Amino acid sequence: MKNWSRAVRTPLGLTGFGLLALTLFTAVFAPLLWGHQATSFDTDNMLAGASAQHWFGTDNLGRDIFFRVLVATRLSIALAVSATAISVAVGIVLGSAPMLLGRWLGRPIIGLVNTVVAFPGLLLVLFFAVVFGVGAQGAVLAVGFAGAPVFARLCHTLMAGVAGRDFVAAARVSGVGSGRILIRHVLPNIAEPLMVNATIGAGGVLLSFAGLSFLGLGVQSPAYDWGRMMQDGLTGIYVHPLAALAPGAAVIIAGLAFNLSGEAVARSLGVQIDVPWRAAVTPRRRRAPAAGARTGPDTDTDLVLDVRDLRVAFPHGDAEISPVRGVTFQVHRGEAVGIVGESGSGKSLTALAVADLLEFPARVDAERLTFLGADLRDGTGHRHLLGTSLAVVFQDPMTSFNPAHRVGAQLAEAARAHQRATRAQAWQRAVDRLRAVRIPDPRRRARQYPFEFSGGMRQRAMIGMGLMGTPKLIVADEPTTALDVTVQRQVLDMLQEVRAADGVAVILISHDVSVIAEVCDRVLVMYAGRVVEDLPAGELADGARHPYTRALVAAVPDMRSDIDAPLATIPGQPVDPAHVPAGCAYAARCPLADDRCRAQDPPLRTAADRSRVACWHAGEPLPILSDLAALEVDA
Amino acid sequence: MSATPAAAAEPGRATAWWQNRWVRFAARRLLRLLVSLWVLVTAAFFMVHLVPGDPVRAALGPLAAADVVAARRHALGLDDRLLVQYWHFLRDLCTGQLGDSIGTQLPVGQIIGQRLPATAELALLAFAVAMAIAIPLGAAIAALTRHGRARRTELAFAGSSVVLGAVPDFVLGVLLVFVFAVQLHWLPVAGRDAPSSYVLPVLALAIGPAAILSRIVRVEMLAVLDTDYLRTARAKRLSGLRIHLVHALPNAVTATLTLSGLLLGSLVAGTVLVENVFAWPGLGSSIVGSITNKDFPLVQGTVLVYGIGVLLINTVVDVALAVLDPRSTIGVD
């Protein structure tokens, strides 16, 4: 019931329950208060229009339409609620058949229910109207039985969900009968969703009923509900439109009351909050370059990518958070640069920003962001350049292909879009590229859909997609994380091969230090949205100077690791981008941290060998592991 | 959906025709159609027998002479054992005989043949209009209002679609008649002759489903726009139009199609009410009369026609779904 009271407090719930209360109030009190006005004949004012005396005019016997609409609320609601009750009751009986009668009897019943559900409700209503006959009673039964299959299916689904739970299994093991399990254990657990659906259903039933009465198959004179009134009013719509429109409006309002109330509760049962993190929308124009930015011509002809002071920000409530806070690096022709860091370190956002794939509400700022000399900050002008020269390989090959198109077509369209290839040429190249990434039988495979490919093949096909143009840079965002180890190897080899053959630069994002060490020339270590160390990959093992890099390297198990000892981990939690501490972001987890680290953020300083590190204690010896454990105990 | 069908995993091996995805899909779908058809036909047969009391007496009224009732019972074959009657019913159905209407004495097949085109026309036009409104509208709203942009557009859309979706078609029909026929005199009140007479009935039927469908299209589109494969499409730097129309829309519409099938089914049923609002000379305006007059052969025939129509629609939708999203051809029933 908590959900119901919470639902009332939402705007939707407030409207819904407000209307519902008004409707029910009218249903209860209108016949008592205005029953007389609704049936008394005003023979001087037959079929009169709206007046001060009769707000909505009168019908052909001079009865006041406004009051008749109000008084009809009771019958309309009562009939709808009774029919809904029948639907739910019959639905529960049918839906619990597999549980009570066993599979052999239950399954055909559910099969029948599923077949009947495919027919629209109104057809079923008409069918049962034939069986039960014309009139209010027949109509209640007809509408009630017609609604039963929907509830039967719902009950069956809900019950199947509950039946697998532990307490039901426990009750079954301890010998409790099916009937008792149903009443004591299952029904209470499905009551809430059932009530929500019944509330929404009652709105639909109300409309069905109005429809049936409108057709003349429901309520008969002298009784009247809204549908009946509409039917009576329609014939005189030229003379007196309100007679048909007023009950129509009542039907809509009452229907909405049930719908919105149910809807509001349904929403509060399963709240979804939209987090714009892994966001992807159309690109937004970036800010003008900051004053004093160096935008001189490139003298370095081998430079593929030049990034200076890259920042990525997201709106967070009223403020903004910056998961990437000033990243600077360059990538040269044929070079493989790895970016490592824990989840949330900003490495993937950096990659997406570089590939110009971050969208609203993400905001990308940089002092400089050039790819092959083109300034990527100035919006969408570089579509063809990026489309042919920059390839992206994503983390999960299972979800990165469009399930609705053939693999070959997904490769070919890149050539069609950027290289003006004909359909046949593009297809030929797609087959050729699939062959290049060693997809067996590429001609046949190109005609297949992604779901017919294995994970490793898809990831190779994804690389093949990047090779449709003449890439100068491949951005690979955790390309092997979703794959098993032997397949990882194939994909990494493939990247190496492409790089060696065409001098393509690679940015490889990974949280796996060993992958980076193996594939890359240079490594950027990121922590809390910053580069904390930049060093040659060969020096990772014993030349790392930042305590974080050394902790990452130490956390990689190898053949010499003591398999009985617990795996080495980095103590503490990564930094929450919404609460970046003053000073060095790593200080809270660092065994070398002192007061200076906690107060002042160390700048990224370039050493003589062009490696970079941001640490006040770079290269200082670390306390050995046992001391580290002691340190943790102290804290 | 990580399943890799055995046939696809082993390149080069010939697969038997019965292992073909499409063949299996067609067989399964056909079986389901046949089962549904049998349920429908059986239900139509038993409908008359479920009526409390004697259907012939009910049809002819309490004043009819006993021998007239007996003769009619005999003529309708109601004296035979139930299974024999069922057998005859199935046999007649297979030869296209639906019996004669009690009211007009005309063959039921002939009455239906005269009225079916008007109803089919109305339902299909309304469905086409509903889809033509819902898909572009829902997709456009999704693309425009992602991640909280254009809040006001989103609110206006959400509000109006909830209200329009909740208005029953016959109430909407009455409202449309009032505004466009009574007040503005732009369009005829009722009947089916000039093209202008189609506008109001079609709109009355289409607007509700269009409102509901466009909400679904929007939600589906939003989900699709956030998928990894859309990011891949963007990484290929395709044009925005191609990303939305070729990559996003088919995937958004597949999920929508299943529901639109249900909607088209209920739209067929909705014609009953709308035809009565607009005096449209279709099946809907005749079935009401035949229910009140207990003209059981005609009711039976009409129910069968509606039911078969709905079944065919569901089948077509499933096939369309299979073509758009080949993954839906795998799986268990």
Side-chain angles (χ1 to χ4, degrees):
Chain A
M1 288 304 107
K2 204 172 60 190
N3 291 311
W4 293 72
S5 59
R6 190 172 48 188
V8 176
R9 287 195 291 274
T10 63
L12 185 74
L14 204 65
T15 320
F17 281 101
L19 283 177
L20 192 61
L22 190 72
T23 310
L24 294 180
F25 181 85
T26 315
V28 173
F29 293 103
L32 304 175
L33 297 173
W34 305 298
H36 176 69
Q37 285 96 317
T39 45
S40 61
F41 307 110
D42 182 350
T43 39
D44 298 335
N45 282 314
M46 287 191 288
L47 281 177
S51 65
Q53 200 183 353
H54 303 288
W55 291 355
F56 287 178
T58 56
D59 68 3
N60 52 357
L61 293 175
R63 295 173 296 198
D64 186 287
I65 285 170
F66 176 69
F67 288 118
R68 283 177 79 77
V69 169
L70 290 182
V71 172
T73 309
R74 180 184 281 184
L75 187 60
S76 304
I77 299 293
L79 292 172
V81 171
S82 329
T84 310
I86 292 176
S87 296
V88 174
V90 177
I92 289 177
V93 171
L94 289 176
S96 57
M99 200 162 178
L100 294 178
L101 303 176
R103 287 183 56 170
W104 285 106
L105 272 171
R107 284 188 61 168
I109 294 181
I110 294 302
L112 191 67
V113 163
N114 283 334
T115 308
V116 175
V117 164
F119 292 99
L122 190 65
L123 271 193
L124 298 178
V125 170
L126 288 178
F127 175 86
F128 284 109
V130 176
V131 174
F132 293 114
V134 171
Q137 191 196 338
V140 167
L141 290 170
V143 175
F145 275 92
V150 173
F151 280 97
R153 189 166 67 168
L154 180 71
C155 283
H156 176 64
T157 318
L158 291 174
M159 283 174 184
V162 176
R165 300 245 287 271
D166 290 347
F167 57 90
V168 176
R172 204 181 291 278
V173 168
S174 56
V176 181
S178 323
R180 205 173 153 76
I181 290 180
L182 180 71
I183 290 167
R184 291 289 304 273
H185 298 285
V186 176
L187 282 184
N189 276 293
I190 66 168
E192 196 156 39
L194 208 55
M195 277 171 74
V196 172
N197 277 284
T199 311
I200 297 175
V205 166
L206 192 86
L207 305 188
S208 297
F209 226 104
L212 214 53
S213 288
F214 175 77
L215 289 177
L217 299 173
V219 172
Q220 303 293 316
S221 286
Y224 56 98
D225 68 347
W226 291 327
R228 181 85 224 167
M229 290 184 68
M230 283 191 71
Q231 151 103 92
D232 295 341
L234 184 61
T235 41
I237 191 155
Y238 266 107
V239 193
H240 190 6
L242 269 175
L245 295 178
V251 170
I252 296 170
I253 291 169
L256 269 179
F258 282 103
N259 269 330
L260 295 182
S261 307
E263 203 69 42
V265 180
R267 280 195 193 177
S268 76
L269 283 175
V271 189
Q272 282 189 334
I273 299 158
D274 190 26
V275 186
W277 264 105
R278 290 231 151 219
V281 195
T282 45
R284 170 180 155 151
R285 289 208 160 260
R286 294 185 179 85
R287 280 185 189 170
R294 286 180 295 167
T295 47
D298 287 313
T299 46
D300 188 349
T301 49
D302 264 358
L303 191 63
V304 173
L305 182 73
D306 191 3
V307 182
R308 266 177 229 164
D309 199 21
L310 175 77
R311 292 164 184 279
V312 178
F314 285 92
H316 182 73
D318 292 335
E320 229 179 26
I321 51 171
S322 301
V324 177
R325 308 178 294 142
V327 166
T328 299
F329 66 98
Q330 294 183 330
V331 180
H332 294 85
R333 191 178 132 78
E335 188 182 28
V337 175
I339 306 183
V340 279
E342 291 166 291
S343 315
S345 60
K347 56 187 192 304
S348 284
L349 285 174
T350 302
L352 290 175
V354 161
D356 197 23
L357 285 174
L358 280 176
E359 296 179 292
F360 180 89
R363 220 193 58 231
V364 178
D365 289 311
E367 194 183 309
R368 189 175 175 87
L369 183 56
T370 46
F371 173 67
L372 296 175
D375 191 346
L376 295 187
R377 295 174 307 173
D378 60 7
T380 54
H382 313 293
R383 206 160 71 82
H384 291 308
L385 174 73
L386 290 171
T388 49
S389 306
L390 194 151
V392 188
V393 179
F394 294 107
Q395 176 168 353
D396 190 353
M398 307 313 276
T399 56
S400 293
F401 274 97
N402 193 326
H405 298 302
R406 294 175 201 276
V407 173
Q410 297 192 48
L411 266 72
E413 68 178 341
R416 298 262 292 154
H418 303 299
Q419 292 154 329
R420 301 188 172 204
T422 64
R423 192 175 286 269
Q425 285 168 341
W427 185 267
Q428 200 46 52
R429 179 149 177 89
V431 172
D432 181 62
R433 295 294 86 186
L434 286 176
R435 185 178 294 119
V437 293
R438 300 223 192 81
I439 303 286
D441 197 0
R443 206 167 287 282
R444 184 174 67 90
R445 286 291 184 176
R447 277 194 301 273
Q448 287 186 330
Y449 289 95
F451 72 92
E452 297 174 273
F453 275 47
S454 70
M457 273 205 285
R458 280 193 223 186
Q459 199 62 305
R460 279 182 286 155
M462 182 63 73
I463 296 174
M465 187 186 285
L467 298 181
M468 287 300 288
T470 46
K472 298 287 181 286
L473 174 65
I474 298 179
V475 176
D477 184 6
E478 306 255 10
T480 58
T481 310
L483 305 171
D484 61 47
V485 181
T486 47
V487 182
Q488 279 190 17
R489 163 68 40 211
Q490 295 171 6
V491 170
L492 290 178
D493 288 349
M494 185 62 58
L495 277 175
Q496 288 287 50
E497 211 174 289
V498 169
R499 188 184 144 210
D502 306 315
V504 181
V506 173
I507 295 180
L508 180 66
I509 316 292
S510 183
H511 61 269
D512 188 340
V513 179
S514 53
V515 166
I516 297 271
E518 192 186 306
V519 176
C520 299
D521 305 312
R522 209 149 56 79
V523 185
L524 303 175
V525 182
M526 282 190 71
Y527 189 80
R530 291 208 166 156
V531 174
V532 293
E533 188 160 16
D534 172 0
L535 74 169
E539 288 178 21
L540 258 181
D542 32 44
R545 298 170 68 216
H546 196 284
Y548 178 64
T549 314
R550 289 189 273 171
L552 277 181
V553 173
V556 179
D558 59 29
M559 297 307 276
R560 287 163 300 172
S561 301
D562 180 357
I563 57 169
D564 293 322
L567 285 172
T569 54
I570 303 173
Q573 293 293 315
V575 171
D576 175 0
H579 305 284
V580 181
C584 174
Y586 187 58
R589 304 167 76 184
C590 180
L592 297 176
D594 57 20
D595 288 345
R596 186 188 188 193
C597 299
R598 282 181 277 270
Q600 264 183 294
D601 201 2
L604 187 65
R605 275 189 290 218
T606 312
D609 62 350
R610 300 194 64 182
S611 71
R612 299 180 296 170
V613 65
C615 180
W616 296 122
H617 301 284
E620 287 177 22
L622 288 170
I624 54 173
L625 268 178
S626 56
D627 296 350
L628 211 139
L631 207 101
E632 230 184 316
V633 172
D634 288 347
Chain B
M1 217 10 115
S2 65
T4 312
E10 296 168 50
R13 178 176 300 186
T15 50
W17 63 270
W18 66 83
Q19 281 179 330
N20 183 288
R21 211 147 39 79
W22 295 95
V23 171
R24 295 177 80 101
F25 166 74
R28 214 170 39 228
R29 197 62 195 81
L30 199 66
L31 186 72
R32 206 163 93 203
L33 179 65
L34 288 177
V35 170
S36 305
L37 207 56
W38 172 76
V39 169
L40 173 70
V41 167
T42 310
F45 170 74
F46 279 105
M47 174 171 73
V48 174
H49 296 270
L50 284 171
V51 176
D54 181 353
V56 176
R57 170 63 72 186
L60 296 179
L63 297 177
D67 56 327
V68 176
V69 173
R72 175 55 66 80
R73 280 189 67 86
H74 186 72
L76 289 173
L78 290 172
D79 291 336
D80 298 329
R81 295 227 320 272
L82 201 61
L83 270 179
V84 176
Q85 288 185 43
Y86 184 50
W87 166 244
H88 288 161
F89 180 72
L90 290 183
R91 193 191 54 196
D92 290 350
L93 212 57
C94 288
T95 54
Q97 289 172 352
L98 293 162
D100 294 340
S101 157
I102 295 177
T104 58
Q105 304 297 329
L106 290 168
V108 169
Q110 187 189 330
I111 300 177
I112 289 175
Q114 283 167 354
R115 289 180 165 265
L116 181 61
T119 298
E121 206 176 45
L122 185 58
L124 289 177
L125 272 174
F127 181 69
V129 169
M131 294 295 258
I133 295 174
I135 292 176
L137 182 66
I141 295 281
L144 289 175
T145 64
R146 282 182 76 202
H147 298 303
R149 288 185 301 179
R151 259 275 133 75
R152 279 189 196 165
T153 314
E154 190 181 343
L155 279 176
F157 170 77
S160 52
S161 63
V162 165
V163 172
L164 285 176
V167 177
D169 38 25
F170 67 100
V171 177
L172 192 62
V174 173
L175 197 68
L176 288 174
V177 167
F178 171 66
V179 174
F180 293 102
V182 176
Q183 292 287 309
L184 299 172
H185 298 288
W186 287 357
L187 297 159
V189 180
R192 167 181 179 249
D193 28 52
S196 63
S197 65
Y198 283 68
V199 177
L200 291 183
V202 167
L203 280 183
L205 266 175
I207 288 178
I212 296 168
L213 259 182
S214 61
R215 288 163 63 85
I216 295 162
V217 172
R218 176 180 161 267
V219 171
E220 293 297 335
M221 189 74 173
L222 283 177
V224 170
L225 288 175
D226 271 340
T227 55
D228 287 352
Y229 57 83
L230 253 281
R231 195 178 49 182
T232 308
R234 284 190 202 97
K236 274 184 266 182
R237 321 291 160 175
L238 304 173
S239 65
L241 205 62
R242 188 169 174 89
I243 288 176
H244 283 96
L245 291 186
V246 178
H247 282 271
L249 205 55
N251 289 288
V253 172
T254 45
T256 312
L257 254 184
T258 329
L259 251 148
S260 70
L262 284 179
L263 273 177
L264 178 55
S266 65
L267 216 140
V268 168
T271 56
V272 176
L273 281 158
V274 171
E275 283 180 15
N276 278 281
V277 173
F278 292 96
W280 193 261
L283 289 171
S285 27
S286 82
I287 192 174
V288 174
S290 53
I291 290 176
T292 5
N293 301 329
K294 303 196 190 305
D295 190 342
F296 293 121
L298 188 53
V299 174
Q300 241 172 6
T302 316
V303 164
L304 272 177
V305 168
Y306 277 127
I308 289 170
V310 170
L311 286 181
L312 287 181
I313 289 162
N314 291 347
T315 310
V316 168
V317 167
D318 278 4
V319 171
L321 202 62
V323 173
L324 274 175
D325 181 4
R327 283 175 306 174
S328 72
T329 55
I330 338 176
V332 282
D333 234 343

